Structure formats: C-alpha cells, structure tokens
C-alpha cells in the first residue's frame, strides 16, 4: 500500500510542533522584528507578508521538510513536464501551456502542445478583431456589440472574475466602449431572462462553451438562446449569431453552428483551470480586444515561471500552499476567507471557491486510500470593507478563520475630495492595514479595564486575537496583475493537493447528483406527459416531487415556445 503523507516522520513532527505553537501568541511573535522580516517576500512588485501566521522560523523550516517528504518539487516538475498526474482520468494537467510563450516547449504524450495553443489564440484574435471592427456582422447587417457567453462552473466563474476585474480598469473600459459581455450559467429561466433583458438579437453574439457539447444545463440554455435568435431573425441567422468553444465539431455542426467558428481546447485543461483557454480568452477578447487578454496571459505566465523556478523560501504560491496545509491539517482551521480590498475583485472569491473546493475536496489519496485527516479548505469571501459589516464579527470573536487580505496600491478609479482627511482609496486601505493587526493582537480585558469599560461589558468587548492572516499587496490591478493573481491561487491550491497526496485535478464528486437528476428528469417527463405517479424514490423525495407536480399542474404537457419577457 502506498505511504500516506500522514505516516511520514515530518508530518508527525509537525503534529508535535503544534504544542510549541500553542504556547505562543501573535502579539508576542510580532515583536520579533527578525522573525517578521524573514516572513516577507516579493516578486515582480507583489509583496507577501505572512508574519501574522501562527508560525515561527522553525515552523516554516518543518514545512519545507514536509514538502520534501511529499516530493513537492518532483510533483511540480511532473506537472510542467506533461506527465499524467491526473491519474484517475489518465491526463496531463497543463493549464500552464495555455499562457506559454510561442517559443516554449511543453509536451503531452510526446507532443509539444504550445503550437496548437497558439493556433487557437491566433484564431481568436482574428475572429474577435473582425467582430470588434465590424467586418463580421449579424444576419441583418448590424454590428455585434453584445456577447452572451453560455457555460457553467469553470466555463463561467473564471471568465466572470476576469471580466469584473477589468471592467473598471480605465484602458480596458475605454477599449470595451459601447460593448456588453454577459454570462449565462444557471439553467434557471430567471438567469436567461436577466441575460437577454434589454438586448436585441440583431446585435448579439452567443458563445456556447461546452467541451463535449453535451453538458445538460449549458445545452438547454444554448437551445433557449438559439430559439431567441431564430424566432427573431430566422433559423439561418444562427450561424452568424452563435459560435462555440468545444472539441465536438460533429455536435457543433448538428446544432447549427459553423464548425469553422468552433474554438478548441483540450482534455489536459480542467474546467476550473480553463479561463486562459478559449473558454475565457474568446469572450474577453470580444469585449476588450485581444491585446488586453494577451497581457492577462503574460501575467499568469510570469507566476508560472516563478512557481516553477523560485526556491521555496521565496516562492509565493508554495509558501501560501504550505501555510494553508499548516492551518487546515495541523492547527485545525478548515476555512479560509478571501478578502480583497478592491470592489474590482468581487468575483475572485467565488472563482477560487470552485478552484479550491472542487480540486481539493477529496476524501481519498491519489492511490485511492481513505485519508485519516481532513483535506481541502472551505473558501468564501467578500471585498473589504463590505465584509467587515457582514461576517467579520465571527472572524474576530467567533471561529478562527485564516484570512487572505489583498490590497492594491493604486486604485483603478481614484477619487479625491477637497477638505477630506484622506482620499477614498486611503480610507479603504486604512482598513486593509488595520484588520490583520486587529485579528493578530486582539484586545485584552486589562486593556478594556484601563479604558474604564463597564465590567459587565468587558467579556463582550474582549478580542482574543491570535487569529492568522496573510497580506498580499499588489502595485496595481490591470490585466497583467489579474493574470498574476489568478496563477498564484491556482498554484497555491495545487501545492496543497501535492502535500496532501490527493488528485487535485479530477472531480468525481459532481457526478452522483447529476446521475440522480437524470432519474428525476425522466419522472417529471412521465408525470407531465403521461400522468404517471411518482415511483422509485424514497418517501421524502416522492412527497416533495408529488407536491411540486401538483402545485405546478398548470404547466402544459406539450407547450408552445415561450421565452422570458422583462
């Protein structure tokens, strides 16, 4: 049987080390200037401060020893070398190839995949340029200024994160002038209604993102928007108003989309890692122009190179990944709050939530052995200062939740008002700098008593402190920096999985619910069209389904087409 990381001496050494750390408090650890200096590192203008972790220099040294026991360096090299590290699906894991420079060689199954990647990128550039300059027009001769991208999970969360972050970048906003990009993910008809609201099919291009062109939710939404286009403009308009990101050219053509307008991606790209493929590059290029997306890819590439080559002591994704393992598996903190102090990153946490929880939410090792420890993090977050008025109460005085504080030196949209003490961005950043210290130091009963706080309120106003965080400071937030931030989190999550000894690149956990949903779908069809009673389910599900069918009995069994109207 393969050895679990928890059976190794370095893991057991880390377990024993927790007792030493439990004797410390961050308010004392933070007085050690040399310790703090040793827990700061910088790459390409990105500054990481992890001195507010419940860790000492000895802790970090032991984590590096643990990394060695887990063969971390070898596993990183195996990923970049195209080895089939996704063993359950027998695939390479090569999202790094999606942003590699043209002269790079990255092999999968003995073949350099980079030329194929650039063939697709060049095709996207040519097509997006045509749409944006008006040489590719809709069926009625009008320019296509609106784009709806249909996709779910990784086909939606990553591109939405990047789009939302770019929207307020002055140069990107200028390039996108007069254009709209929307994302249709949920099969809920309300999402359809919101996406088509205010849009004219004549000026709308629909991008259908589905590798196999069989994803149930995506294809139902695609058929819905095909009906929206064809009912307004005729069936022949579909080929001018719909394109695909898919590898199944046969089904693409059968759907009514010209296969020449299908943009490929590959089995070695996992959905949650696909934002740098045509999945994200096509809709983002249509909105902002290919040059902005190319900067985004260059940013991600810079972190890929840093991750692959930098010594672990200065390697930002490695350090963050090791600290996450320390917090989850040794200190017993299962969650992580992602707290960007910029509204532009409001969709970062939902994207990382999927990348992290779908990657590392596993209960068995890569060899199929049940883990005797918990793996994976519960990720959530909200931009500061919004989160401060939402869930920070729990973070300060309830459960201990390690936090990622992300700050930006230069605002995308600075505001200056006469006679204000500080400008708007400085007000925001005052909180970015204050919150980590509040969590680390807390406030003692003695301090409160010295402030003459009423004795009955002292317990309520006491902050225990000793709550860990990291601070990540970026010089700005443009396409390049957004790419860097994405890659930092992608590789951090991979490091966690490599240490835990799990497969971070499959997602079998999403399959069971889908297969059960297909049984329900058949039942709903039989009940609505043939009047059959609900059978073959447990009592609870039978009761719920029956109630649902009875309460929606006015739904026609053979409906005429009805599209949302807002």
């Amino acid at each position: 049987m393969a050895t679990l990381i928890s059976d190794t001496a370095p893991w057991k050494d880390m377990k024993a080390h927790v007792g030493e750390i439990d004797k410390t408090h961050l308010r004392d650890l933070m007085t050690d200037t040399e310790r703090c200096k040793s827990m700061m590192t910088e790459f390409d203008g990105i500054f990481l401060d992890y001195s507010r972790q419940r860790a000492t220099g000895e802790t970090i040294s032991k984590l590096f020893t643990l990394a060695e026991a887990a063969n971390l360096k070898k596993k990183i090299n195996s990923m970049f070398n195209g080895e089939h590290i996704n063993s359950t699906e027998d695939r390479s894991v090569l999202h790094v190839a999606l942003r590699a420079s043209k002269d790079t060689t990255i092999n999968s199954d003995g073949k350099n995949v980079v030329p194929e990647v650039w063939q697709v990128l060049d095709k996207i550039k040519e097509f997006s340029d045509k749409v944006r300059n008006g040489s590719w027009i809709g069926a009625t001769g009008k320019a296509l200024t609106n784009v709806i991208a249909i996709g779910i999970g990784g086909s939606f969360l990553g591109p939405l994160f990047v789009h939302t972050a770019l929207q307020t970048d002055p140069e990107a906003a200028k390039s996108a002038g007069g254009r709209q990009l929307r994302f249709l993910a949920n099969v809920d008809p309300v999402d359809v209604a919101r996406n088509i609201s205010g849009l004219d099919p004549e000026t709308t291009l629909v991008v259908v993102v589905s590798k196999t062109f069989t994803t149930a939710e995506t294809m139902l939404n695609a058929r819905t928007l095909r009906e929206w286009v064809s009912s307004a403009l005729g069936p022949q308009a579909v080929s001018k108003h719909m394109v695909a990101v898919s590898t199944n050219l046969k089904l693409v053509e059968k759907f009514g989309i010209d296969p020449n307008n299908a943009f490929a991606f590959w089995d070695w790209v996992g959905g949650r890692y696909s934002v740098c493929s045509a999945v994200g590059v096509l809709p983002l290029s249509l909105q902002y122009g290919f040059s902005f997306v190319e900067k985004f890819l260059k940013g991600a590439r810079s972190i890929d190179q840093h991750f692959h080559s930098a010594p672990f002591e200065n390697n930002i994704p490695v350090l963050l990944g090791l600290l996450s393992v320390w917090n989850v598996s040794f200190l017993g903190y299962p969650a992580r709050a992602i707290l960007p102090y910029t509204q532009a990153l409001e969709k970062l946490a939902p994207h990382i939530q999927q990348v992290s929880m779908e990657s590392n939410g596993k209960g068995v090792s890569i060899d199929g052995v049940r883990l005797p420890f918990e793996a994976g993090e519960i990720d959530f977050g909200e931009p500061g200062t919004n989160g401060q008025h939402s869930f920070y109460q729990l973070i300060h005085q309830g459960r201990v939740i390690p936090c990622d504080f992300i700050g930006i030196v230069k605002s995308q949209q600075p505001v200056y008002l006469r006679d204000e003490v500080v400008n708007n961005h400085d007000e925001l950043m005052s909180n970015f700098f204050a919150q980590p210290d509040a969590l680390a130091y807390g406030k003692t009963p003695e301090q409160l008593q010295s402030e003459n706080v009423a004795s009955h309120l002292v317990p309520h106003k006491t902050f225990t402190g000793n709550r860990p965080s990291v601070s990540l400071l970026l010089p700005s937030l443009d396409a390049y920096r957004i790419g860097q931030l994405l890659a930092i989190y992608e590789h951090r999550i991979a490091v966690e999985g490599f240490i835990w000894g799990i497969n971070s690149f499959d997602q079998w956990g999403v399959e069971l619910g889908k297969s059960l949903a297909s049984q329900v779908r058949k039942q709903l069809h039989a009940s609505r069209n043939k009047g059959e009673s609900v059978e073959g389910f447990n009592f609870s599900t039978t009761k719920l389904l029956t109630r649902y069918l009875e309460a929606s009995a006015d739904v026609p069994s053979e409906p005429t087409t009805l599209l949302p109207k807002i």
Side-chain angles (χ1 to χ4, degrees):
M1 184 179 289
T3 303
L4 295 172
I5 188 65
S6 55
D7 293 332
T8 64
W11 182 278
K12 292 171 184 175
D13 191 29
M14 293 296 308
K15 280 285 189 185
H17 180 62
V18 173
E20 294 300 310
I21 294 300
D22 283 342
K23 296 173 186 174
T24 67
H25 193 290
L26 277 169
R27 69 171 69 100
D28 300 316
L29 293 174
M30 291 298 291
T31 63
D32 185 342
T33 303
E34 291 307 311
R35 171 192 168 276
C36 291
K37 281 182 183 176
S38 72
M39 293 184 172
M40 297 174 181
T41 192
E42 184 174 358
F43 170 72
D44 194 18
I46 299 173
F47 188 80
L48 171 66
D49 177 1
Y50 58 98
S51 61
R52 292 176 190 81
Q53 287 290 304
R54 290 188 59 207
T56 62
E58 185 183 3
T59 314
I60 304 304
S61 177
K62 289 179 183 294
L63 284 170
F64 291 145
T65 303
L66 182 68
E68 194 174 331
N71 295 310
L72 178 59
K73 184 62 183 173
K74 181 183 176 185
K75 289 175 180 177
I76 292 170
N77 288 336
S78 294
M79 183 176 82
F80 278 84
N81 292 339
E83 294 175 33
H84 285 212
I85 64 170
N86 178 357
S87 55
T88 61
E89 296 178 301
D90 195 22
R91 292 173 180 170
S92 303
V93 176
L94 283 177
H95 43 282
V96 295
L98 299 172
R99 50 250 193 167
S101 57
K102 280 187 177 180
D103 58 355
T104 306
T105 299
I106 299 178
N107 290 316
S108 177
D109 299 321
K111 179 184 178 184
N112 182 12
V113 300
V114 175
E116 284 184 41
V117 168
W118 274 93
Q119 282 176 9
V120 174
L121 289 174
D122 289 340
K123 183 178 177 181
I124 290 172
K125 181 184 186 306
E126 182 184 4
F127 178 75
S128 60
D129 284 351
K130 284 181 180 178
V131 172
R132 287 173 56 81
N133 67 26
S135 58
W136 175 288
I137 53 176
T140 61
K142 291 186 177 180
L144 300 172
T145 54
N146 309 307
V147 173
I148 300 176
I150 304 175
I152 198 163
S155 300
F156 139 73
L157 290 164
L160 178 61
F161 146 61
V162 179
H163 170 52
T164 307
L166 281 174
Q167 271 183 311
T168 40
D169 173 69
E171 289 184 21
K174 183 179 178 182
S175 182
R179 307 192 64 83
Q180 286 192 69
L181 172 59
R182 299 182 183 183
F183 294 90
L184 172 56
N186 202 330
V187 75
D188 184 347
V190 170
D191 206 13
V192 175
R194 288 178 174 178
N195 269 273
I196 64 176
S197 175
L199 296 188
D200 185 342
E202 283 188 284
T203 55
T204 301
L205 179 69
V206 178
V207 179
V208 184
V209 182
S210 176
K211 186 184 285 187
T212 61
F213 235 59
T214 58
T215 309
E217 302 97 325
T218 298
M219 295 318 299
L220 180 53
N221 278 336
R223 291 191 295 273
T224 302
L225 288 207
R226 181 179 63 185
E227 182 63 31
W228 179 65
V229 169
S230 58
S231 63
L233 308 175
Q236 76 287 345
V238 170
S239 62
K240 294 292 273 182
H241 289 262
M242 298 187 82
V243 298
V245 177
S246 179
T247 54
N248 194 333
L249 297 183
K250 189 175 288 186
L251 287 185
V252 166
E253 186 171 21
K254 188 177 179 183
F255 184 87
I257 294 173
D258 186 343
N260 292 317
N261 299 328
F263 299 83
F265 61 121
W266 303 270
D267 281 345
W268 42 260
V269 183
R272 56 193 174 276
Y273 295 96
S274 66
V275 64
C276 294
S277 73
V279 169
V281 172
L282 178 58
L284 292 167
S285 295
L286 287 164
Q287 178 69 4
Y288 297 104
F290 186 79
S291 63
F292 283 93
V293 182
E294 198 166 20
K295 289 176 190 171
F296 163 72
L297 296 176
K298 284 179 180 176
R301 182 192 311 154
S302 75
I303 296 296
D304 294 341
Q305 293 166 346
H306 166 70
F307 176 54
H308 195 198
S309 62
F312 286 175
E313 292 81 3
N314 305 112
N315 193 312
I316 290 175
V318 167
L319 289 166
L320 291 172
L322 291 174
L323 289 166
S324 283
V325 171
W326 169 239
N327 284 320
V328 172
S329 297
F330 299 101
L331 296 181
Y333 305 144
R336 172 178 60 192
I338 300 168
L339 310 170
Y341 275 67
T342 169
Q343 194 64 28
L345 292 178
E346 65 176 307
K347 296 300 182 182
L348 172 64
H351 176 50
I352 300 309
Q353 189 178 59
Q354 190 212 4
V355 179
S356 172
M357 294 171 74
E358 194 168 82
S359 293
N360 290 340
K362 309 292 166 62
V364 298
S365 75
I366 197 164
D367 299 305
V369 179
R370 177 62 53 184
L371 297 177
F373 57 87
E374 297 286 346
E377 283 176 314
I378 303 163
D379 293 272
F380 70 99
E382 184 73 20
T385 56
N386 296 0
Q388 293 174 201
H389 298 271
S390 174
F391 51 78
Y392 277 36
Q393 167 63 44
L394 183 145
I395 290 175
H396 279 288
Q397 289 186 310
R399 297 173 184 269
V400 176
I401 299 176
C403 298
D404 291 358
F405 289 95
I406 303 168
I408 312 297
V409 173
K410 294 183 179 178
S411 174
Q412 289 180 333
Q413 297 289 334
V415 173
Y416 304 101
L417 298 177
R418 189 186 306 162
D419 299 328
E420 291 291 339
V421 176
V422 293
N423 63 61
N424 296 42
H425 189 63
D426 280 353
E427 178 67 28
L428 175 73
M429 292 300 287
S430 297
N431 290 274
F432 167 81
F433 295 114
Q435 288 292 333
D437 278 342
L439 288 166
Y441 287 82
K443 197 162 191 178
T444 66
E446 292 75 19
Q447 288 173 303
L448 293 164
Q449 287 159 5
S450 71
E451 295 171 3
N452 297 317
V453 172
S455 60
H456 71 283
L457 288 178
V458 168
H460 299 281
K461 292 193 172 187
T462 296
F463 292 74
T464 58
N466 212 25
R467 294 163 184 260
S469 67
V470 298
S471 297
L472 201 61
L473 189 62
L474 280 67
S476 60
L477 193 67
D478 55 13
Y480 181 82
R481 297 299 181 184
I482 294 164
Q484 288 186 309
L485 190 59
L486 171 77
I488 285 171
Y489 272 94
E490 286 180 343
H491 295 320
R492 170 198 195 154
I493 289 158
V495 167
E496 293 170 50
F498 289 152
I499 299 294
W500 283 320
I502 60 178
N503 185 353
S504 297
F505 306 104
D506 62 9
Q507 55 283 325
W508 299 106
V510 305
E511 298 301 324
L512 179 58
K514 290 197 287 189
S515 66
L516 292 178
S518 69
Q519 297 174 31
V520 176
R521 191 182 301 117
K522 290 174 185 175
Q523 179 66 64
L524 289 172
H525 176 78
S527 297
R528 292 229 192 265
N529 290 271
K530 302 173 186 175
E532 293 182 10
S533 59
V534 177
E535 293 180 357
F537 299 90
N538 61 52
F539 176 81
S540 174
T541 305
T542 300
K543 185 72 174 176
L544 286 166
L545 270 171
T546 302
R547 186 179 179 89
Y548 173 72
L549 286 162
E550 288 174 352
S552 59
D554 57 336
V555 172
S557 59
E558 295 184 12
T560 54
T561 297
L562 174 68
L563 293 171
K565 291 183 174 64
I566 292 185

